[in-house]
């Protein structure tokens, strides 16, 4: 049977015209770009500039004095401590959940995915209230914990629990689509060659997901440092003890201490910018690996 070769260029005939992927008019493209830039300037750049301009409004000396204030330093330390605890926990939980969902078949998988997405649909304030109802002095478990000398609400454990709940989906939701796309063939090949389950995960799965894992950790860290709603309910807002940086900003602003409020807010914004810069540097340095 003779093979038939189809030349699409000939079939199109002399009227064939090469077309770009996008055929919008030049004016429409520039209009869309202008709208996007205006939106970014209005809702992202302008507020950021306002934060730093207000923070340095009284001069550099007043700025540093506001950051050296004991309550502000305590808020910074608590924010970093909570992030240092919550992010590794979510890292472990996210990897375990993603591994179970994408590499195994079991009953209740859809329900587990729904539970992972639950913090996206529940208000952070409601999440904080749940922990108060569970671990508070009048809660279901609170009196027993109090009799044992343990305090969850209005202390570091409650803040960590609320932060973990709010930030749990970020790592898992970055990993699950990628691991579903990769399938299980690489792990099955490793197991066939005699590797143990942990060795297959360490040498095969982890290198394949490292960039998505990094993105999830960065997003989780940014949300953990900036969480306000859930933490405000479980912390009790005790100055110098259970105030994180967002709570400290609110208290200072309500007291009309504008310079100090924006000074702490600028530090929080700077931490977010450093996180974004780290992500951009990694993308630039390892761009080829990211594309692969």
């Amino acid at each position: 049977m003779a093979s038939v070769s189809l030349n699409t260029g000939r079939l199109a005939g002399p009227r064939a015209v090469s077309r770009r992927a996008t055929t919008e008019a030049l004016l429409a493209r520039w209009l869309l770009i202008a709208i996007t830039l205006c939106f970014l300037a209005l809702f992202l750049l302008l507020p950021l500039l306002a934060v730093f301009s207000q923070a340095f409004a009284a001069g550099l000396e007043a700025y540093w004095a506001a950051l050296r204030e004991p309550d502000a330093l305590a808020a910074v330390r608590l924010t970093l401590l909570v992030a240092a605890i919550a992010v590794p926990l979510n890292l472990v939980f996210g990897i375990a959940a993603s591994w179970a969902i994408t590499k195994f078949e079991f009953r209740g998988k859809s329900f587990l995915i729904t539970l992972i997405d639950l913090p996206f649909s529940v208000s952070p304030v409601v999440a904080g209230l749940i922990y108060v109802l569970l671990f508070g002095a009048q809660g279901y478990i609170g009196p027993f914990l109090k009799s044992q000398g343990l305090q969850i609400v209005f202390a570091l454990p409650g803040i960590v629990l609320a932060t973990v709940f709010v930030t749990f989906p970020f790592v898992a939701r970055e990993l699950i689509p990628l691991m579903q796309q990769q399938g299980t063939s690489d792990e099955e090949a490793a197991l066939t060659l005699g590797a143990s389950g942990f060795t297959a995960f360490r040498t095969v799965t982890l290198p394949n997901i490292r960039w998505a894992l990094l993105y999830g950790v960065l997003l989780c860290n940014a949300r953990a440092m900036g969480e306000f709603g859930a933490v405000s309910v479980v912390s009790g807002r005790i100055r110098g003890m259970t105030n994180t940086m967002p709570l400290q900003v609110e208290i200072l602003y309500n007291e009309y201490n504008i310079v100090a409020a924006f000074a702490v807010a600028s530090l929080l914004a700077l931490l977010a910018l450093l996180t974004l810069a780290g992500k951009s540097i990694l993308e630039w340095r390892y761009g080829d690996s990211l594309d692969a």
Side-chain angles (χ1 to χ4, degrees), residues 18-236:
S18 88
R19 302 181 65 188
R20 286 181 261 194
T22 57
T23 58
E24 294 86 356
L26 182 62
L27 179 60
R29 292 201 299 270
W30 280 108
L31 182 60
L32 291 174
I33 293 172
I35 292 174
T36 303
L37 293 177
C38 290
F39 180 87
L40 293 175
L42 182 61
F43 290 99
L44 293 179
L45 296 181
L46 189 59
L48 192 62
L49 292 176
V51 168
F52 283 97
S53 63
Q54 290 291 331
F56 291 98
L60 186 60
E61 185 176 351
Y63 177 82
W64 286 117
L67 293 182
R68 290 196 302 266
E69 202 266 336
D71 289 345
L73 292 176
V76 173
R77 287 193 295 267
L78 181 60
T79 300
L80 296 178
L81 177 60
V82 170
I85 298 173
V87 173
L89 287 176
N90 278 329
L91 173 66
V92 175
F93 296 159
I95 292 176
S98 304
W99 177 271
I101 289 171
T102 58
K103 305 301 180 181
F104 301 96
E105 294 294 333
F106 56 90
R107 290 184 178 180
K109 179 187 289 190
S110 300
F111 180 68
L112 179 57
I113 296 175
T114 302
L115 289 180
I116 292 174
D117 292 335
L118 186 63
F120 285 143
S121 57
V122 174
S123 170
V125 175
V126 175
L129 183 60
I130 291 172
Y131 286 108
V132 173
L133 294 176
L134 286 175
F135 303 112
Q138 307 299 324
Y140 294 105
I141 313 176
F144 171 76
L145 294 175
K146 186 177 181 180
S147 66
Q148 301 298 318
L150 299 175
Q151 184 175 359
I152 303 298
V153 178
F154 308 145
L156 176 63
I159 299 174
V160 172
L161 285 174
T163 304
V164 168
F165 177 85
V166 172
T167 58
F168 176 78
F170 288 96
V171 175
R173 266 302 167 195
E174 285 291 326
L175 295 180
I176 289 174
L178 176 63
M179 295 176 72
Q180 285 177 334
Q181 182 182 11
Q182 292 174 348
T184 60
S185 57
D186 291 345
E187 287 80 9
E188 290 172 355
L191 294 175
T192 302
L193 294 174
S196 64
F198 177 75
T199 301
F201 171 78
R202 180 175 55 85
T203 60
V204 177
T205 304
L206 194 58
N208 289 338
I209 65 172
R210 61 184 184 274
W211 298 116
L213 182 62
L214 176 62
Y215 285 172
V217 168
L218 289 174
L219 292 174
C220 180
N221 180 68
R223 179 63 187 275
M225 291 190 299
E227 175 54 32
F228 178 85
V231 172
S232 67
V233 176
V234 301
S235 68

